[in-house]
Amino acid sequence: RASPAESRIGAHHRRPRLRSVHLSMSTIAMSALRARGALFAGAKISVARAKVGTASNSAVAAAPRAAAAAGDERVSRALRTINTSAVKAAAPSPPTAEADPAAAPAAAARTAGSEPASAAPSTDEVAYTLKGPQPQKFGVADGELANVLTASGSFVTRAVSGALCEGWTPTIVEGSPPPGAYTLGELGGRWLKETSDVAKFPRPSAPIKLYEFEGCPFCRKVREAVVWLDLDVQFYPCPQGGPTFREHVKNVGGKSQFPYMVDDNTGVSMYESDDIIDYLYDKYGPGKEKVPTLLRAGALTVLTAGFGLAPRMGAGSRYRPAKMPAKPITVYSYEASPFCKLVREKLVELELPHLMKTVGRGSPKRQELKDRRGTFQAPYIEDPNTGVAMFESSAIVKYLEEQYAA
């Protein structure tokens, strides 16, 4: 597929007492270094007059054409199609009768071909109690350094994809930020303000549904697109050997292939990561012609996504017996964060449905979470089944294990 025109993130605005801050990203490696600094260490932000944009130099632009070489499609198709025959024998044999999704009790939630009661997001108001440790920005819990480092592989291979919203524009503002305003930081009587273009795009009335799993590079591409577009998505994890949602996809779609998307707002459902990304950009973004090059590079995109996942050795890809919650867990998260990845791995391996409120850079939901809790940090969860709210990835992973692992 031909590479689209270079996509742009952000625009230069002249305002009184504002100075536009732009990151020059001429190569994927430079993008990764810039993203790492902005996301975790508050590294220096270079001030330039060039627009912030997804790297689209000649090397990256040539990648899709190289990926079109003979045999590439066969490799891509082989990776994309997940063969579950090897794990079926180990998985419990579900009843053949199809359950009513609205009436199925939690005990029967794993009936093949049906969505359990937890499949529908709850609209009930829940009074959440914040538990666990206080959020520590950029802090790593004791014994978790190796996990965080191995979960950071995508910083190098995927650069800013999965970290930024479309049209992300940072600006340095003179003075102090308004009380309660979300900001990346303050320095020398100035503060950094982040905006994006996502408010210009149509928003779905109901969350998009995605059936996928953590260790799949094709699934990662779609998750990155979700962050670019700042969409809230209902995730139904499909780990290898999972008895519920993997079987559901096979029954309704005809094959065990992932990712699989369902949009109840339009009645559209589809396989194929590239088709899903084009659809989301057409329906809820600036148009499929504006899909970032980092998502358009054919086999290069798949390989870099796979290399970024490799250090985790398949974590979050294989099912572990667990109790199905009655309601999906809400998670504030974004794809590029290694801390969020550790929580996602646990959610997937326990096959726990979750509503993902994506909070890439430039997302207005960063301010939303700060308004709710007085601070912003991801990951953050709210569990309507227990009334527990929690920051800190290591504490969340332990909570999910203790609460839902069988």
Side-chain angles (χ1 to χ4, degrees):
R1 181 179 301 173
S3 175
E6 176 181 356
S7 60
R8 292 186 177 179
I9 305 176
H12 186 77
H13 301 283
R14 295 188 179 274
R15 299 191 184 113
R17 306 184 69 188
L18 300 185
R19 288 187 294 172
S20 294
V21 179
H22 302 287
L23 305 181
S24 177
M25 298 180 288
S26 60
T27 64
I28 287 180
M30 182 62 71
S31 300
L33 293 175
R34 303 287 191 199
R36 182 185 295 111
L39 290 169
F40 291 98
K44 297 178 181 179
I45 298 177
S46 61
V47 180
R49 295 189 181 276
K51 301 240 181 232
V52 176
T54 302
S56 182
N57 54 41
S58 57
V60 176
R65 292 192 293 272
D72 174 69
E73 177 59 27
R74 291 194 298 273
V75 175
S76 179
R77 179 70 64 177
L79 284 170
R80 182 162 55 247
T81 303
I82 309 300
N83 181 7
T84 58
S85 59
V87 297
K88 260 188 154 183
S93 298
T96 56
E98 187 169 299
D100 179 2
R110 301 193 183 278
T111 302
S114 66
E115 291 183 6
S118 63
S122 172
T123 57
D124 298 337
E125 288 295 329
V126 178
Y128 291 102
T129 301
L130 187 63
K131 294 189 176 182
Q134 291 298 311
Q136 302 284 331
K137 280 196 174 182
F138 316 127
V140 178
D142 292 343
E144 288 296 306
L145 181 59
N147 282 329
V148 173
L149 289 176
T150 54
S152 302
S154 295
F155 265 162
V156 175
T157 62
R158 296 301 297 146
V160 297
S161 194
L164 309 179
C165 294
E166 283 285 349
W168 177 66
T169 306
T171 54
I172 290 179
V173 183
E174 301 281 351
S176 299
Y182 166 77
T183 174
L184 180 60
E186 301 178 57
L187 182 64
R190 301 176 179 86
W191 61 285
L192 185 64
K193 180 179 180 180
E194 298 175 292
T195 57
S196 69
D197 291 340
V198 296
K200 303 175 184 177
F201 306 146
R203 302 288 84 181
S205 300
I208 307 297
K209 297 177 181 177
L210 278 178
Y211 297 80
E212 52 83 61
F213 62 99
E214 182 66 24
C216 169
F218 298 94
C219 299
R220 182 184 171 96
K221 285 170 55 180
V222 176
R223 295 196 302 268
E224 288 178 1
V226 164
V227 176
W228 282 106
L229 298 175
D230 197 43
L231 295 173
D232 291 347
V233 172
Q234 185 75 25
F235 280 98
Y236 295 99
C238 300
Q240 296 178 17
T244 308
F245 304 119
R246 182 173 280 255
E247 289 301 313
H248 173 75
V249 170
K250 184 177 179 180
N251 288 339
V252 301
K255 52 186 175 180
S256 292
Q257 180 176 305
F258 305 95
Y260 179 69
M261 184 210 74
V262 177
D263 186 353
D264 289 336
N265 303 282
T266 60
V268 170
S269 59
M270 64 177 66
Y271 293 99
E272 299 293 338
S273 57
D274 287 338
D275 293 341
I276 293 172
I277 291 170
D278 284 350
Y279 171 83
L280 294 176
Y281 263 77
D282 259 350
K283 196 70 181 174
Y284 305 112
K288 63 182 180 182
E289 67 280 359
K290 298 292 184 66
V291 173
T293 304
L294 286 168
L295 297 178
R296 278 288 195 203
L300 180 63
T301 297
V302 177
L303 289 173
T304 53
F307 289 151
L309 295 168
R312 294 299 296 157
M313 305 286 290
S317 297
R318 292 175 290 274
Y319 172 70
R320 289 182 52 216
K323 298 172 286 186
M324 178 68 71
K327 301 174 185 177
I329 298 166
T330 297
V331 186
Y332 286 74
S333 175
Y334 61 105
E335 186 64 21
S337 166
F339 300 98
C340 295
K341 178 173 176 55
L342 296 174
V343 171
R344 267 272 307 170
E345 288 175 353
K346 184 61 64 175
L347 289 166
V348 172
E349 72 177 34
L350 298 180
E351 207 182 33
L352 301 178
H354 49 284
L355 175 64
M356 183 79 74
K357 297 180 78 69
T358 57
V359 287
R361 294 219 164 274
S363 171
K365 283 170 283 187
R366 290 188 169 226
Q367 182 66 56
E368 173 188 306
L369 180 54
K370 185 174 177 67
D371 291 342
R372 288 174 72 87
R373 286 299 172 189
T375 188
F376 170 81
Q377 183 170 303
Y380 165 79
I381 70 164
E382 292 180 343
D383 187 348
N385 304 283
T386 62
V388 168
M390 189 174 291
F391 289 101
E392 291 296 319
S393 58
S394 59
I396 295 172
V397 168
K398 182 179 179 182
Y399 166 79
L400 295 174
E401 181 73 25
E402 294 176 348
Q403 187 69 32
Y404 294 108

